[in-house]
């Protein structure tokens, strides 16, 4: 039998509890258990006036932003609508059914003002990392670092040649916010001072973004999202924004390592990365200055692809400061005999090692060694001993384990783009980009906490 028609009737009284309508296994319940925002008011105390109309609760705004980044809601207008309609979001934000949702413009006003001046988003991120350490999810023995390209919110049609753009007279007081931030970062190692190479195009709306074709496809404007993770559970211990070039990404890695040790007292025993971090300067900084084992492939141009012997085919004799070629002949940087042996002692400088002409002339392997020159020469870097040490690390038995754990950072970037929807930036300028990356990393850590340390169901 067909039931009666359902008609909406306005009730005079409701007895409703948000607590009862949010499932016990909801993701936000586990996140809320680990999220501690009690220090926000004290952190922002100096940035609010003691008089005037009461402002929107900063904890409410942070909770709403975290909801947006945890569930891939990028638009703040849509975020306000979703929090208004979704009971679980209201419960997480400590809002009752009759409470009013803040206007979307409140987020922009606070982000460009007191949130950025107080570095509040960094404060929330570090509080989340501290909670991960407290829960035992950060071992501190092994770290991994990598960078991923995120498209900037600009178009090529609104760009020009760097020389033509720089020739324009720009009034900092009248320029857009992203342009002012670009001018402020010209001496920053992660942005303007990262490299002297001039990009092909500069975006007018966001000149700090990098024109790059690193994906082996059509070029586009982008920023690099740099993650430093602990390889035990893939917790992001630091995040930083930079331009999309190797020099800037290496500088971001150094800054993140120093900042992690300064904030949390955590210094890894080893670090894994790809070849982009395998330059001589960076390996020296890691191995000698920071005493960290580098499981990083050496950035080496000594390998040949034309069928002739590469540098790795020659054996280094450290005790006698010489190379031994495949035919057994020795190669020295000088064949002169000094009366004072100290003048020929090994030194920390670049050297060029050569064989004798007589050794190469009648050698049976000359066609495979130096067919186009009289003698074979090998250039040895100033810190080649450090590069050799890095090669020993990557040839060790532990390297496959380190490289397998390094893939966790790539999985985080895939989760960032596919699940959280951060494939293209919404904010512009170095500060806006850093805000987005910091909030996204905080959301990922909170989701990881909720997954690895979920709520224990109450037993009746």
């Amino acid at each position: 039998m067909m039931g009666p028609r359902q008609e909406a009737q306005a009730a005079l009284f409701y007895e409703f509890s948000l607590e009862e309508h949010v499932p016990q296994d909801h993701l936000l319940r586990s996140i809320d258990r680990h999220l501690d925002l009690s220090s926000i008011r004290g952190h922002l105390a100096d940035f609010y006036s003691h008089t005037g109309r009461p402002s929107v609760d900063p904890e409410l705004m942070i909770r709403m932003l975290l909801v947006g980044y945890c569930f891939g809601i990028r638009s703040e207008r849509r975020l306000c609508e979703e929090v208004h309609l979704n009971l679980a979001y209201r419960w997480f934000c400590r809002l009752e059914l009759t409470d009013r949702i803040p206007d979307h413009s409140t987020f922009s006003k606070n982000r460009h003002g007191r949130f950025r001046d107080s570095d509040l988003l960094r404060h929330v991120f570090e509080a989340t990392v501290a909670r991960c350490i407290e829960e035992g999810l950060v071992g501190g023995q092994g770290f991994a670092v990598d960078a991923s390209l995120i498209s900037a919110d600009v178009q090529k049609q609104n760009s020009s040649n760097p020389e033509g753009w720089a020739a324009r007279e720009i009034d900092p007081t009248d320029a857009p916010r992203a342009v002012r931030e670009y001018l402020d970062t010209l001496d920053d190692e992660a942005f303007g001072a990262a490299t002297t190479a001039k990009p092909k195009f500069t975006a007018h709306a966001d000149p700090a973004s990098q024109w790059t074709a690193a994906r082996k496809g059509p070029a586009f404007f982008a920023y690099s999202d740099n993650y430093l993770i602990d390889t035990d559970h893939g917790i992001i211990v630091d995040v930083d924004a930079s331009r999309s070039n190797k020099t800037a990404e290496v500088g971001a890695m150094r800054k993140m390592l120093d900042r992690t040790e300064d904030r949390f007292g955590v210094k890894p025993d080893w670090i894994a990365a790809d070849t982009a971090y395998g330059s001589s300067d960076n390996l020296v900084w890691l191995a000698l200055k920071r005493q960290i084992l580098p499981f990083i492939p050496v950035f080496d141009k000594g390998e040949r692809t034309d069928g002739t012997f590469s540098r790795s085919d020659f054996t280094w004799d450290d005790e006698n400061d010489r190379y031994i070629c495949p035919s057994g002949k020795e190669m020295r940087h000088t064949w002169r005999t000094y009366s004072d042996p100290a003048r020929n002692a090994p030194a920390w400088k670049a050297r060029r090692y050569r064989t004798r002409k007589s050794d190469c002339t009648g050698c049976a392997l000359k066609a495979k060694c130096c067919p186009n020159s009289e003698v074979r020469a090998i250039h040895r870097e100033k810190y080649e001993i450090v590069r050799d040490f890095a090669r020993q690390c990557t040839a060790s038995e532990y390297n496959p384990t380190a490289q397998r754990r390094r893939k966790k950072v790539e999985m985080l970037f895939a989760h960032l783009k596919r699940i959280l929807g951060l494939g293209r930036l919404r904010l512009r300028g170095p500060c806006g980009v850093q805000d987005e990356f910091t909030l996204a990393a905080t959301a990922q850590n909170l989701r990881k906490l909720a997954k690895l340390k979920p709520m224990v169901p109450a037993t009746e």
Side-chain angles (χ1 to χ4, degrees):
M1 180 177 95
M2 184 180 296
R5 182 185 299 275
Q6 184 71 30
E7 296 182 1
Q9 294 182 356
L12 296 178
F13 301 99
Y14 285 98
E15 193 171 319
F16 187 87
S17 173
L18 280 176
E19 182 69 31
E20 296 177 359
H21 283 74
V22 178
Q24 291 297 320
D25 59 349
H26 198 282
L27 175 64
L28 287 178
R29 281 194 178 273
S30 294
I31 289 178
D32 184 69
R33 185 170 72 91
H34 296 291
L35 183 62
D36 183 11
L37 300 178
S38 58
S39 61
I40 282 184
R41 287 184 170 273
H43 187 78
L44 291 174
D46 295 336
F47 297 89
Y48 280 89
S49 173
H50 298 288
T51 60
R53 186 176 60 181
S55 64
V56 178
D57 185 4
E59 181 177 344
L60 169 60
M61 287 187 285
I62 293 298
R63 285 182 175 273
M64 289 182 64
L65 286 173
L66 289 177
V67 166
Y69 278 84
C70 282
F71 293 95
I73 305 174
R74 304 294 312 288
S75 169
E76 289 165 358
R77 288 177 182 267
R78 184 180 162 221
L79 175 61
C80 293
E81 296 174 357
E82 293 292 334
V83 173
H84 175 72
L85 296 172
N86 193 299
L87 295 180
Y89 296 171
R90 277 186 172 269
W91 174 87
F92 181 78
C93 295
R94 307 292 192 265
L95 291 170
E96 296 295 337
L97 287 176
T98 57
D99 290 339
R100 183 179 178 182
I101 306 299
D103 188 78
H104 67 88
S105 62
T106 306
F107 294 94
S108 299
K109 183 67 175 178
N110 283 273
R111 180 173 57 246
H112 297 310
R114 55 177 65 94
F115 283 8
R116 193 162 292 169
D117 294 338
S118 64
D119 209 8
L120 178 64
L121 300 182
R122 165 64 57 173
H123 174 77
V124 174
F125 169 76
E126 292 180 352
T128 305
V129 176
R131 180 58 184 245
C132 294
I133 297 174
E134 181 183 341
E135 293 288 342
L137 300 183
V138 177
Q141 286 78 33
F143 281 4
V145 64
D146 204 354
S148 182
L149 296 178
I150 308 294
S151 299
D153 186 31
V154 291
Q155 296 291 338
K156 181 181 179 297
Q157 289 78 2
N158 189 25
S159 64
S160 62
N161 185 278
E163 285 75 11
W165 188 84
R168 300 165 53 191
E169 294 185 1
I170 301 175
D171 184 5
T173 59
D174 191 41
R177 182 180 289 106
V179 176
R180 296 199 303 270
E181 292 177 5
Y182 163 75
L183 297 175
D184 292 337
T185 58
L186 289 177
D187 296 328
D188 193 330
E189 292 184 357
F191 289 96
T195 177
T196 57
K198 297 294 183 182
K200 193 172 182 180
F201 296 100
T202 296
H204 299 164
D206 192 358
S209 59
Q210 178 88 38
W211 177 256
T212 177
R215 290 180 179 170
K216 308 302 181 183
F220 61 102
F221 288 102
Y223 283 91
S224 283
D225 187 6
N226 299 272
Y227 275 3
L228 180 68
I229 72 164
D230 181 86
T231 58
D232 283 0
H233 297 283
I235 298 298
I236 305 168
V237 294
D238 207 345
V239 56
D240 199 56
S242 71
R243 297 199 78 180
S244 300
N245 59 67
K246 292 180 180 179
T247 307
E249 292 167 2
V250 169
M253 179 210 69
R254 297 183 184 183
K255 181 166 66 173
M256 291 189 294
L257 281 171
D258 289 339
R259 188 162 53 193
T260 301
E261 184 175 5
D262 179 62
R263 296 287 196 276
F264 309 108
V266 178
K267 175 188 172 185
D269 297 326
W270 57 266
I271 189 169
D274 56 27
T275 315
Y277 299 86
S279 63
S280 296
D281 292 341
N282 193 43
L283 294 174
V284 168
W285 187 86
L286 286 170
L288 296 184
K289 185 175 180 181
R290 305 294 279 113
Q291 302 294 309
I292 299 174
L293 293 177
F295 289 98
I296 303 174
V298 178
F299 185 74
D300 194 354
K301 295 183 179 180
E303 298 299 313
R304 295 186 174 185
T305 58
D306 58 357
T308 59
F309 291 131
S310 300
R311 183 168 53 187
S312 59
D313 296 316
F314 294 77
T315 305
W316 170 247
D317 182 2
D318 187 63
E319 182 178 354
N320 297 306
D321 188 26
R322 64 177 182 174
Y323 277 99
I324 304 299
C325 74
S327 64
K329 302 298 190 298
E330 65 176 353
M331 306 173 67
R332 296 185 177 274
H333 68 89
T334 179
W335 291 96
R336 181 177 177 181
T337 303
Y338 292 94
S339 58
D340 182 8
R343 297 182 61 185
N344 197 26
W348 288 88
K349 61 181 180 180
R351 285 180 167 178
R352 188 177 178 84
Y353 292 79
R354 300 179 302 275
T355 56
R356 291 190 181 94
K357 183 178 179 179
S358 58
D359 292 335
C360 285
T361 300
C363 181
L365 300 177
K366 188 177 189 306
K368 197 174 180 181
C369 182
C370 52
N372 301 321
S373 59
E374 294 182 345
V375 297
R376 177 62 186 267
I378 294 179
H379 180 80
R380 184 173 177 82
E381 298 283 348
K382 177 180 179 180
Y383 293 105
E384 191 67 28
I385 187 173
V386 179
R387 288 156 57 89
D388 288 340
F389 175 72
R391 294 186 182 100
Q392 293 176 9
C393 290
T394 54
S396 66
E397 296 180 354
Y398 191 75
N399 183 61
T401 301
Q403 297 304 323
R404 184 175 66 253
R405 292 179 132 197
R406 185 185 70 84
K407 293 181 180 180
K408 292 181 180 180
V409 69
E410 298 176 356
M411 295 169 62
L412 284 169
F413 285 133
H415 178 269
L416 176 73
K417 296 177 181 179
R418 297 184 61 183
I419 306 302
L420 302 189
L422 193 63
R424 182 185 177 90
L425 292 162
R426 188 176 58 84
L427 304 180
R428 295 173 177 173
C431 294
V433 173
Q434 183 65 56
D435 289 347
E436 287 214 68
F437 291 165
T438 303
L439 278 169
T442 304
Q444 287 184 290
N445 279 346
L446 288 171
R447 288 175 65 106
K448 184 65 67 71
L449 269 169
K451 177 182 178 181
L452 299 179
K453 299 290 182 177
M455 290 188 64
V456 179
T459 57
E460 296 183 359

